[in-house]
Each structure stands twice: as structure tokens, then as C-alpha cells.
Amino acid sequence: MDLTTTYLGLELRSPLVVGAAAPLTEDIDNIKRMEDAGAAAVVLHSLFEEQLRQEKLELHHHLEYGTESFAEALTYFPEAEVFHVGSEQYLEHIRKAKETVNMPIIASLNGSTVGGWTRYAKEIEQAGANALELNIYSIPTDMDQTGAQVEQNYLDILQAVKSEVNIPVAIKLSPFFSNMANMAKRLTEAGADGLVFFNRFYQPDIDIEELEVSPNILLSTPQAMRLPMRWIAILYGRLSVDFAATSGVHKGQDVIKMMMAGAKVTEIVSVLLRHGIGNLQEIEQEVRHWMEEHEYESIKQMQGSMSQINCPDESAFERAQYMKAIQTYKPQLVGFAP
């Protein structure tokens, strides 16, 4: 049974890719365990634009501090690399991961504005990363900023990174564009090698006892897969780009659904954080069992088979399905009388 697939020009043993699962991917031993459990590739935790900016500011401060002193005193200046601990550690992490495992390593950069931080992508490539996932996390709050300006920012960041590297670059998308199809098309035309559906924006919470706004990460549930599955199915066959599905992929049947919609890979995170890295083996076994039971010989055989262009009812992924869902829903209420 052939589970192989291709993604970003990489030949993968299966569509089971570990997404940017901090803190799991921060440990080299964990990455080795992921490979042993069946992971086809790993997306490392993100390096953030703010982190790179802070390092640059600290370096500038220390290089400028005391420059009015006598030349004899210049020996107390620290070496520049001292102020690149975070970014240097990230590069070293890529190198060690590449030495430890045979599967592809995909690095991740997280930013929201165009700037010098994008040049760090070149160092990531030189460290040995097989590909780069660009996570553009932006919450527009400027009331004078138009939707067109928000979209152009994505394109500008992508083009800035693409100008620095030769490795494939995937964009992790937000689901909140006014026209997702048009944005996906423009990103593809701008050079994106892959589109990842979708970025999950972590919403803050309010601590009513301490009167503080606090971070609160809620792991995905299987219901979250519906949104990426729908858009992958709609866009499959219409764009010459690879699709990765993330959010809500918890079981083998979820992987199969995403493949049928048109994804090349699934990025799995939450289920591993909940149940451990070994759960990858269970997911792969579920995929194999289903394929054997339904007489599928390969993953490629099912990819895109239930996309919009191949679905008997092309309206199934659009408004008609919405109306049908409402009309056919039956409330499960105690004492409900139709």
C-alpha cells in the first residue's frame, strides 16, 4: 500500500507531517521520536520577527555604548554573536535536526510586517532547512488600513522572503480574507510553492480575578477541519500550488478526507500535544486499514477525488450546501415535538 506523496517538491513517505508544535519540536530527541513514529516531515517551531528585531536592537545598543571612551577601553566590547543567542540557537537546531533524522525539516518564520528580518530566511536555508513555512500572523487594528493594503502586505512579505532563498516557501494563511480564492491565486502568482490552510489565531482571555488579559491556547477539535477542507476542495485543480491541511486533523479518517479534498499533506499538532508523539502510529494504521478495506492502492489515487471539480454536485461546497444543512438539521432535544 503506497502512502507516499509530494509536497513542496519533497518526496514524503506519507502525508503525516508534524506541524509547528512548540514545545514538541524544540527537542531534538522528540524530532527523532516523530520520525520513528512515522512522521514524514516536521515543521519546526517559529522564529518570530519581534525576536530578530530585539536582537538587532540589543546588538546596536551594546556596540554603540561607550564609543565616546578612549580606544584602550574598547576591549570590553562583547562579541556580536552574544546578542544572537535566539536566532543562532534556531540555526543550530536546524543543523542538529538534519544530522539526526532523514526526513525533511521545514523551518518556520513568523512575522507581520515587511522588514530586514526577512533576510534571515537565507541563513535558515544555509543551515540546511529543506523548505520554509512563512506564518504571517497579523491582526489589523488600524481603522484607516484598507483590505487591499492588508493583502498587499502578505504579498510583499512573501516576495521579500522569496528573493532571499531558493528553497520552497509555503504560506500559512489566515481564513479571514474577503475573497479567499483571489488571495490564494495572487499568492500563487507571487511565487508561493505551498499554501497551508489555516493559521489558528490564538485569542486572549480575561482573568476576572487578577483583572489581567492573559494568553489562553485552546487546542483544536475535529470540527475545526471543516473550514480548511472546504477551501482546499474549492481550490484544488485551479491553482498550480501544493495544499497542506491543518486544524482539526486528529484521526486517520481526517487525513483521508483532507486527501480527498485535494491536500498533499496534513499538519498534525493538537492530537500529539494531547496524546503524545506515538499517536502518529495509530493515525497511520487507521489510514492503512481504511485504504485496505476500501481497496485503495495509494494516497495519490484519492487526492482531489472529492474536490469541487470532481464532485458530482459542484455546489456542495458553496451556498447550496449551507441551505441544505439548515433544512435537514433535526434538533436532538429532550421532549422536542416536531
Side-chain angles (χ1 to χ4, degrees):
M1 200 170 298
D2 184 6
L3 266 64
T4 61
T5 185
T6 59
Y7 177 60
L8 303 180
L10 304 170
E11 294 288 337
L12 304 181
R13 66 175 299 276
S14 81
L16 304 183
V17 172
V18 177
L24 290 183
T25 59
E26 295 175 358
D27 187 280
I28 293 295
D29 290 339
N30 280 343
I31 294 176
K32 177 59 177 171
R33 289 174 58 208
M34 291 170 187
E35 182 178 54
D36 293 341
V42 167
V43 182
L44 299 181
H45 52 285
S46 292
L47 187 65
F48 290 86
E49 169 188 351
E50 291 83 354
Q51 181 180 353
L52 293 169
R53 281 183 174 180
Q54 183 61 34
E55 290 178 357
K56 184 176 180 180
L57 289 173
E58 288 180 0
L59 174 61
H60 177 75
H61 166 74
H62 287 283
L63 289 178
E64 292 293 323
Y65 181 78
T67 53
E68 71 283 355
S69 303
F70 292 107
E72 289 80 359
L74 297 182
T75 55
Y76 69 76
F77 280 1
E79 294 296 328
E81 58 265 25
V82 172
F83 307 102
H84 287 268
V85 173
S87 57
E88 284 299 323
Q89 283 182 341
Y90 193 83
L91 296 176
E92 185 60 25
H93 193 62
I94 294 173
R95 296 186 192 102
K96 288 182 178 178
K98 290 293 295 178
E99 292 172 358
T100 304
V101 298
N102 295 315
M103 64 180 172
I105 299 296
I106 302 173
S108 175
L109 272 179
N110 187 312
S112 62
T113 63
V114 178
W117 66 276
T118 57
R119 291 195 293 270
Y120 193 76
K122 186 64 177 178
E123 296 185 52
I124 285 176
E125 178 180 32
Q126 292 170 346
N130 298 96
L132 176 62
E133 185 172 285
L134 195 53
N135 188 339
I136 304 176
Y137 187 108
S138 176
I139 306 294
T141 57
D142 183 351
M143 293 184 182
D144 294 321
Q145 186 180 30
T146 66
Q149 290 172 325
V150 172
E151 293 174 358
Q152 189 60 46
N153 186 54
Y154 274 70
L155 296 168
D156 290 343
I157 293 175
L158 170 62
Q159 290 169 340
V161 170
K162 287 288 290 186
S163 70
E164 296 290 335
V165 299
N166 295 310
I167 56 175
V169 177
I171 291 282
K172 197 168 188 178
L173 282 167
S174 157
F176 301 124
F177 293 105
S178 59
N179 186 344
M180 176 56 65
N182 176 261
M183 193 62 197
K185 177 176 180 285
R186 292 170 67 194
L187 286 166
T188 302
E189 291 173 345
D193 301 286
L195 300 177
V196 183
F197 299 84
F198 281 111
N199 196 347
R200 294 182 65 237
F201 290 148
Y202 295 118
Q203 313 296 346
D205 200 359
I206 294 178
D207 186 327
I208 61 174
E209 298 299 330
E210 299 296 330
L211 299 182
E212 294 178 347
V213 176
S214 58
N216 183 19
I217 293 180
L218 299 175
L219 300 180
S220 74
T221 63
Q223 288 75 21
M225 68 174 287
R226 298 287 184 88
L227 184 62
M229 183 176 69
R230 180 185 201 180
W231 275 108
I232 289 172
I234 289 173
L235 296 173
Y236 176 82
R238 294 186 166 95
L239 297 174
S240 57
V241 68
D242 291 342
F243 298 139
T246 188
S247 294
V249 180
H250 287 229
K251 297 182 179 180
Q253 65 180 19
D254 302 333
V255 176
I256 292 165
K257 289 178 182 179
M258 291 300 196
M259 295 300 103
M260 288 184 169
K264 289 292 189 76
V265 297
T266 55
E267 292 189 5
I268 301 169
V269 177
S270 292
V271 69
L272 304 185
L273 292 172
R274 281 196 179 99
H275 303 298
I277 294 170
N279 197 252
L280 281 166
Q281 292 177 312
E282 183 176 336
I283 294 173
E284 181 174 322
Q285 289 170 0
E286 290 171 354
V287 171
R288 288 185 180 276
H289 177 73
W290 188 92
M291 289 175 66
E292 182 178 3
E293 192 175 68
H294 293 81
E295 299 182 348
Y296 276 83
E297 296 180 357
S298 70
I299 287 290
K300 293 174 183 176
Q301 182 183 351
M302 69 175 72
Q303 282 174 331
S305 61
M306 290 298 294
S307 62
Q308 188 178 49
I309 62 173
N310 291 321
C311 188
D313 179 10
E314 287 196 8
S315 66
F317 290 101
E318 298 181 9
R319 183 173 172 83
Q321 186 71 2
Y322 167 77
M323 294 184 291
K324 183 177 180 181
I326 293 176
Q327 293 166 356
T328 58
Y329 178 73
K330 296 180 180 179
Q332 303 296 315
L333 300 177
V334 177
F336 174 79

